[in-house]
Amino acid sequence: MRDHWISKFAIAESVAVLTAIWGVPSLIAQTALTAQTGQQGSGGERTKAGQPARPMPPIPRLSDGTPSLGWVDPAYKGVWKPVRLRDYADLLVERKEEGLPFQPWAKALYEYRIKTEQKDDPESLCLPPGGTLATVNRTASPWEFLQMPEQKRIIRVFEGASHMWQVIYMDGRPHPQEAYDLPTWMGHSIGHWEGDTLVVDTVGFNEGHWLSTMGAPRTNLHHLIERFTRTNYNTLRYEATIDDPGAYTRPFKIGWNIAWGYGQELVEIVCTENNQYPNLFPDEDTLLKQLQRKP
Amino acid sequence: MKMFRLIGLVAGLAITMPALPQALNEGQGHPLKGVWLGDWGTDKDKRNPVTIEMDWDGKAITGSINPGPDAAVFTKAELDPSNWTVHLEAESKGIRYVIDGKIQNLGSLRRSIVGTWSEGNQKGSFKITRH
């Protein structure tokens, strides 16, 4: 599968090119800085063009006071832009030295998938990933939150995979029995706020996909709790507790930071079109020429 | 006797077929979970259709041979992930089944199990494929 065109650029190179051409953006430079450090800029940073960096905007909030996990001011629009993270063992936030707590069959299957270079990865067949794999899919495709407090639900829209979305019910309902009886790719998600952290509880996954692109398996007993915290405008802290007694000996927690893709919008990708979407975009050389022509 | 077997097979398929459409795209969890169709026989010309349904609850493999009124429920089911061999035992109406096989094409949703099949005092080969 070819990469998303924007991912062909290293962040620093993109900042350098765009800054040199337009002499701006400071916020783009800060996005890169934040992605690298996970810290909000103090305002003292400078772009490569030597211009002072514009102060990072505060975390936006909705009228009910909850943090916006997207954007409110169109001038600062964007999407969350994951990077490729293949092995969850590297992302463990507790008991890292023990590695993933596989059951014996799960460990053997994981090793088989590594040995066979993930040739059977369902995502390579355009099957939709769910759970943590939707957040960090193999193509590092961006996604965004659409918060609708008046409807007491939050929608997560994913650019990659199979044109997916996830409904997170915020109205206090429990998981219905149907979620377990009729498991689905994305499962059934309910959410609530703990301070400024969105906590999403999902059950009812089918067994159509893997837990990680490296090949860690999951079963329909998978219970996922995800925590999303916007630590500054450009950074989303993501932590996931994976409780799958079908494949693992105990629950475990993984986490990482996700960077804001400043100025980006989601585009249509339909994997089932034989993956032709990269042809919609110019290659790197053409893109650079276009950028250089821009006034 | 053949008619009874046919009725049993049809009944078994009636029970398991509703699960097939969903199962086709699944199968990335425990390698034995699912519905397996195939045959066994004492020689290549004398084959008997079989359906095996297996499940995994996180601790044990459960299931049966030819689900339905004449199902032979597993009394023992083991998977050795070091070499992907399978050992199944079942009993129904005084007939004891002992099945030893090995998973082939593990990563495929259409993986198979191939090996030896003992049913009462008969012994032969079998091949079942996950559907």
Side-chain angles (χ1 to χ4, degrees):
Chain A
M1 210 178 275
R2 284 182 60 187
D3 298 345
H4 188 283
W5 65 273
I6 199 70
S7 67
K8 290 180 178 174
F9 295 89
I11 291 175
E13 289 168 346
S14 300
V15 171
V17 169
L18 294 171
T19 304
I21 294 169
W22 292 323
V24 259
S26 48
L27 191 59
I28 295 175
Q30 280 201 335
T31 299
L33 177 73
T34 303
Q36 290 170 353
T37 64
Q39 301 296 317
Q40 182 161 355
S42 63
E45 297 83 10
R46 288 183 170 272
T47 67
K48 282 201 173 181
Q51 297 172 330
R54 194 164 53 178
M56 185 187 300
I59 296 171
R61 292 186 181 271
L62 305 184
S63 57
D64 65 0
T66 53
S68 167
L69 300 181
W71 51 271
V72 174
D73 182 348
Y76 298 105
K77 71 181 178 184
V79 293
W80 294 112
K81 202 172 165 344
V83 293
R84 288 178 181 78
L85 299 168
R86 291 165 53 80
D87 192 355
Y88 288 175
D90 296 334
L91 306 172
L92 287 167
V93 296
E94 296 167 350
R95 301 166 72 172
K96 192 164 188 170
E97 67 287 354
E98 296 178 23
L100 298 179
F102 291 109
Q103 288 195 18
W105 73 266
K107 186 172 194 298
L109 186 57
Y110 173 69
E111 290 169 349
Y112 169 85
R113 288 170 176 170
I114 292 171
K115 188 178 173 183
T116 54
E117 299 180 334
Q118 292 86 23
K119 70 179 177 63
D120 303 305
D121 183 353
E123 197 170 350
S124 67
L125 301 173
C126 293
L127 292 169
T132 53
L133 205 49
T135 297
V136 57
N137 53 73
R138 69 181 287 166
T139 54
S141 298
W143 45 265
E144 65 177 323
F145 285 103
L146 302 177
Q147 289 165 258
M148 295 180 282
E150 69 284 357
Q151 296 182 14
K152 295 185 178 176
R153 59 181 184 152
I154 296 174
I155 311 291
R156 201 150 60 119
V157 183
F158 301 90
E159 179 183 282
S162 301
H163 225 153
M164 303 182 307
W165 69 91
Q166 174 190 20
V167 181
I168 303 163
Y169 297 103
M170 303 290 289
D171 55 6
R173 72 178 72 185
H175 294 298
Q177 185 57 42
E178 290 76 16
Y180 302 94
D181 296 340
L182 298 169
T184 57
W185 296 95
M186 299 297 288
H188 183 271
S189 299
I190 54 177
H192 66 276
W193 290 96
E194 289 182 6
D196 283 351
T197 298
L198 173 64
V199 181
V200 181
D201 184 306
T202 306
V203 300
F205 291 105
N206 68 20
E207 295 188 346
H209 226 293
W210 299 356
L211 184 69
S212 71
T213 54
M214 191 69 120
R218 75 173 193 209
T219 74
N220 64 333
L221 302 177
H222 180 28
H223 178 197
L224 174 65
I225 296 176
E226 295 169 292
R227 301 173 67 86
F228 300 90
T229 309
R230 193 168 196 166
T231 54
N232 61 42
Y233 197 90
N234 293 332
T235 308
L236 186 67
R237 177 64 186 170
Y238 176 75
E239 288 192 348
T241 300
I242 293 156
D243 184 6
D244 184 350
Y248 300 90
T249 57
R250 58 172 170 78
F252 59 95
K253 187 187 283 188
I254 54 176
W256 63 90
N257 288 342
I258 300 171
W260 183 246
Y262 172 72
Q264 292 183 40
E265 294 178 330
L266 300 187
V267 298
E268 181 181 82
I269 294 175
V270 181
C271 190
T272 47
E273 284 184 311
N274 197 24
N275 204 24
Q276 294 297 309
Y277 81 89
N279 299 331
L280 295 170
F281 302 102
D283 60 30
E284 191 170 335
D285 291 339
T286 307
L287 180 66
L288 283 172
K289 285 175 186 170
Q290 288 177 353
L291 288 171
Q292 285 163 357
R293 279 201 299 272
K294 195 146 185 148
Chain B
M1 186 64 183
K2 278 188 176 176
M3 182 59 74
F4 282 118
R5 280 192 176 177
L6 185 61
I7 292 170
L9 178 63
V10 171
L13 288 176
I15 291 169
T16 56
M17 285 299 279
L20 291 183
Q22 192 174 26
L24 283 177
N25 271 337
E26 297 196 19
Q28 302 292 349
H30 192 281
L32 291 183
K33 185 175 175 179
V35 176
W36 304 70
L37 306 179
D39 60 34
W40 83 276
T42 52
D43 61 57
K44 64 182 174 70
D45 297 321
K46 193 176 177 183
R47 311 303 294 176
N48 304 282
V50 291
T51 300
I52 292 183
E53 187 174 21
M54 287 188 266
D55 201 0
W56 169 251
D57 64 3
K59 292 179 181 173
I61 301 159
T62 56
S64 63
I65 301 167
N66 293 333
D70 291 331
V73 177
F74 293 160
T75 54
K76 190 174 186 181
E78 295 173 340
L79 169 69
D80 182 350
S82 68
N83 53 14
W84 298 111
T85 55
V86 182
H87 176 78
L88 305 172
E89 295 182 19
E91 195 157 333
S92 174
K93 297 182 177 177
I95 300 174
R96 185 162 180 264
Y97 300 79
V98 179
I99 301 162
D100 285 290
K102 183 168 184 171
I103 299 177
Q104 297 187 337
N105 205 6
L106 174 69
S108 169
L109 297 181
R110 297 283 190 184
R111 54 187 166 267
S112 298
I113 305 174
V114 175
T116 59
W117 181 291
S118 296
E119 185 173 322
N121 56 7
Q122 292 185 299
K123 189 168 183 178
S125 62
F126 81 98
K127 179 176 181 179
I128 53 175
T129 301
R130 187 186 170 280
H131 282 70

